[in-house]
């Protein structure tokens, strides 16, 4: 009986070519598993394509709500943003995919999992750390790192390899952007983006929205509600998280929100340049932060900022299934108990403009913040506070002056 391998299958040329390659070089029974994290019409025709390519079976697993509830929301609550710009769209999805691949491997009694990530990227790390953490006994096959047996170097090579194995599918040899899409975002790499000195060709590149210049000349008001840091409605309509993100994607795309051009530091040690479209995610993160401004105290916000950066690093590096991620997430969740309320803002040509925030747990006191003297604040108290708060500075200045005289 042949051993089984679970192939993380996207339906693209790379993973389609891997099917006959696995059978030829390892004599595996290939079971394809496509994980749906909201990539839309990319799933069309997948079953026919996988079976034409020699797969014994294809799983199409709908993980959209799991992805939103168990991976996106913890990162939103943490305000996890990598290198101040990247909202972790690809990074968050990889542990969810790895977990389901392992579950299918167990169900099928497979001995290995195969992925099509390159040897230069972050995804190989994210997939494999997830698999190692959940199923250390399973073998991992990464064809792009096996240069002794994986000899294909181009799309033309892969198309020819498929043709030689009786797989005649309408793949194009034309080069285009390398993209990764899910419900949260779409990333673009390659072509002119490989030169940081080149301006992106946005007319050719954008998928989810338009540039701010092409957005409507009229702004649009949006109202959102949150309960314990979780979004619950948009413009008065209650929805589950995945539908909220879909709605915000439409609104954000329309108004040119969430387009980021970044040169980031990959885990493997190189810099890479990409453009990310995250229209709904950008709105959701901003709305959540606006509510936190009102509810969280200063000391908690300071520590939470550090934890958000740590969470971003953990997720970016593929370390989701670790005690550290669990501990950071537990801290973040403890801060969300009172992040409940309503946020209103206006979308206008790439901008998210505040239009009012309210919460039953707001720490903002109008009487304290106003210039008039209230019952809780005596201006004279500031004298003693400033004396003690500035004491180290004064002592140092006196000591330095004393030393200069010697």
């Amino acid at each position: 009986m042949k051993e089984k391998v679970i192939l993380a299958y996207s339906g693209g040329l790379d993973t389609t070519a891997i099917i006959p390659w696995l059978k030829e070089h390892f004599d595996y029974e290939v079971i394809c598993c496509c994980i749906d994290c909201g990539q839309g019409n990319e799933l069309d025709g997948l079953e026919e394509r996988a079976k034409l390519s020699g797969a014994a079976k294809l799983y199409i697993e709908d993980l959209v709500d799991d992805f939103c509830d168990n991976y996106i929301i913890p990162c939103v609550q943490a305000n996890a943003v990598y290198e101040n710009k990247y909202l972790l769209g690809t990074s968050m999805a990889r542990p969810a995919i790895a977990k389901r691949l392992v579950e299918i491997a167990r169900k099928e009694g497979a001995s290995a999992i195969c992925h099509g990530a390159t040897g230069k990227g972050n995804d190989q790390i994210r997939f494999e750390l997830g698999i190692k953490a959940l199923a250390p006994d399973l073998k991992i096959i990464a064809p792009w790192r096996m240069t002794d047996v994986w000899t294909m170097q181009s799309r033309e090579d892969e198309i020819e390899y498929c043709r030689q194995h009786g797989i005649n599918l309408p793949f194009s040899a034309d080069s285009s952007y390398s993209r990764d899409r899910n419900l949260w975002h779409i990333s673009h790499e390659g072509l002119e983006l490989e030169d940081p000195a080149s301006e992106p060709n946005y007319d050719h590149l954008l998928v989810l929205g338009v540039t701010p210049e092409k957005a409507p000349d009229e702004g649009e008001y949006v109202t959102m509600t949150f309960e314990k840091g979780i979004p619950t409605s948009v413009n008065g309509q209650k929805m589950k998280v995945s539908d909220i993100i879909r709605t915000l994607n439409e609104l954000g795309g329309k108004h040119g929100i969430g387009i980021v051009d970044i040169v980031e530091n990959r885990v493997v040690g190189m810099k890479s340049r990409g453009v990310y479209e995250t229209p709904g995610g950008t709105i959701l993160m901003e709305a959540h932060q606006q509510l936190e401004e009102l509810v969280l105290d200063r000391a908690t916000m300071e520590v939470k900022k550090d934890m958000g950066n740590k969470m971003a690093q953990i997720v970016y590096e593929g370390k989701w299934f670790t005690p550290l991620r669990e501990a950071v997430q537990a801290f973040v969740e403890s801060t969300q108990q009172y992040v409940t309320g309503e946020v209103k803002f206006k979308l206008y040509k790439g901008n998210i403009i505040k239009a009012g925030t309210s919460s039953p747990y707001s720490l903002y006191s109008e009487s304290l913040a106003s210039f008039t003297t209230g019952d809780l604040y005596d201006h004279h108290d500031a004298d003693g506070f400033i004396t003690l708060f500035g004491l180290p500075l004064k002592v140092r200045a006196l000591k330095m002056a004393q030393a200069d005289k010697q």
Side-chain angles (χ1 to χ4, degrees):
M1 188 174 176
K2 290 184 178 182
E3 288 188 80
K4 296 179 181 179
V5 60
I6 305 300
L7 172 62
Y9 187 63
S10 68
L13 178 56
D14 287 350
T15 52
T16 297
I18 287 173
I19 297 172
W21 181 85
L22 285 168
K23 296 173 71 176
E24 179 181 356
H25 291 279
F26 298 96
D27 197 31
Y28 276 125
E29 179 182 337
V30 181
I31 297 170
C32 290
C33 187
C34 175
I35 309 297
D36 180 8
C37 289
Q39 50 265 51
N41 59 12
E42 292 181 14
L43 303 180
D44 294 348
L46 224 59
E47 187 160 3
E48 181 184 8
R49 179 173 295 182
K51 292 190 175 176
L52 278 173
S53 305
K57 188 184 295 186
L58 170 69
Y59 285 87
I60 297 179
E61 299 289 294
D62 184 348
L63 242 64
V64 173
D65 286 328
D66 176 52
F67 175 44
C68 291
D69 297 340
N70 299 313
Y71 298 88
I72 289 177
I73 287 301
C75 290
V76 170
Q77 291 179 325
N79 188 33
V81 181
Y82 183 70
E83 295 187 340
N84 299 315
K85 287 187 177 181
Y86 174 41
L87 301 189
L88 300 171
T90 298
S91 311
M92 293 185 296
R94 295 319 188 214
I97 293 170
K99 184 170 183 283
R100 185 52 57 93
L101 291 173
V102 167
E103 291 168 354
I104 298 297
R106 295 305 193 205
K107 179 180 176 180
E108 288 286 343
S111 59
I113 293 176
C114 177
H115 65 79
T118 72
K120 284 187 175 182
N122 295 313
D123 280 342
Q124 57 182 338
I125 299 167
R126 296 165 184 154
F127 282 134
E128 295 186 32
L129 263 59
I131 294 166
K132 289 177 187 294
L134 299 173
D137 56 304
L138 290 179
K139 183 179 179 180
I140 299 172
I141 300 173
W144 281 98
R145 299 203 304 262
M146 303 170 69
T147 53
D148 51 337
V149 286
W150 179 269
T151 57
M152 292 171 274
Q153 298 296 315
S154 66
R155 289 182 66 84
E156 290 84 358
D157 289 346
E158 291 176 316
I159 291 170
E160 177 59 23
Y161 181 80
C162 288
R163 190 189 64 77
Q164 290 174 2
H165 289 77
I167 305 166
N168 296 296
L169 291 167
F171 288 114
S172 170
D174 295 338
S175 60
S176 62
Y177 297 105
S178 173
R179 291 182 164 114
D180 178 74
R181 181 176 183 176
N182 57 44
L183 190 66
W184 185 249
H185 88 155
I186 185 167
S187 64
H188 312 267
E189 294 179 345
L191 298 187
E192 79 276 2
L193 301 180
E194 293 187 349
D195 180 3
S198 297
E199 181 181 6
N201 182 359
Y202 287 116
D203 289 339
H204 182 220
L205 180 150
L206 295 179
V207 173
L208 300 182
V210 299
T211 59
E213 294 89 339
K214 294 187 176 181
D217 292 331
E218 294 293 325
E220 183 171 358
Y221 284 96
V222 179
T223 302
M224 292 184 65
T225 59
F226 289 81
E227 292 180 12
K228 296 187 175 181
I230 299 172
T232 54
S233 74
V234 177
N235 291 333
Q237 186 173 352
K238 286 195 171 292
M239 299 179 236
K240 61 182 180 179
V241 174
S242 58
D243 287 336
I244 285 175
I245 295 173
R246 289 186 182 98
T247 301
L248 295 179
N249 274 336
E250 292 181 12
L251 291 166
K254 173 183 174 183
H255 290 280
I257 306 293
I259 301 169
V260 169
D261 181 354
I262 181 175
V263 175
E264 69 193 63
N265 291 293
R266 286 183 180 173
V267 182
V268 294
M270 70 180 72
K271 289 185 181 289
S272 66
R273 194 266 190 105
V275 170
Y276 297 100
E277 294 180 73
T278 322
T282 301
I283 296 171
L284 179 52
M285 295 281 271
E286 175 64 23
H288 178 262
Q289 286 182 72
Q290 288 184 19
L291 189 56
E292 281 194 330
E293 285 180 6
L294 209 58
V295 171
L296 297 186
D297 64 276
R298 179 185 178 187
T300 300
M301 285 190 74
E302 286 179 356
V303 176
K304 186 173 179 293
K305 182 178 179 180
D306 292 337
M307 290 297 100
N309 289 334
K310 177 56 68 176
M311 184 74 162
Q313 182 183 0
I314 290 167
V315 177
Y316 189 82
E317 294 179 352
K319 297 177 180 177
W320 186 274
F321 300 108
T322 61
L324 179 57
R325 191 275 303 167
E326 293 174 0
V328 172
Q329 186 173 331
F331 167 80
V332 170
E333 287 178 351
S334 74
T335 69
Q336 300 300 293
Q337 183 177 359
Y338 300 111
V339 184
T340 295
E342 182 177 279
V343 182
K344 186 179 180 181
F345 46 88
K346 181 168 69 174
L347 305 178
Y348 178 68
K349 290 190 177 295
N351 295 289
I352 305 170
I353 303 166
K354 279 187 180 182
T357 312
S358 62
S359 169
Y361 305 108
S362 171
L363 298 182
Y364 181 89
S365 169
E366 188 173 348
S367 63
L368 273 175
S370 69
F371 288 102
T372 57
T373 302
D375 295 336
L376 291 176
Y377 194 93
D378 186 334
H379 288 273
H380 296 96
D381 292 340
D383 288 336
F385 169 75
I386 295 170
T387 297
L388 295 179
F389 195 63
L391 187 61
L393 282 72
K394 185 174 182 178
V395 170
R396 182 181 183 279
L398 290 172
K399 289 293 185 182
M400 292 298 291
Q402 185 179 20
D404 288 343
K405 290 178 181 179
Q406 294 177 352

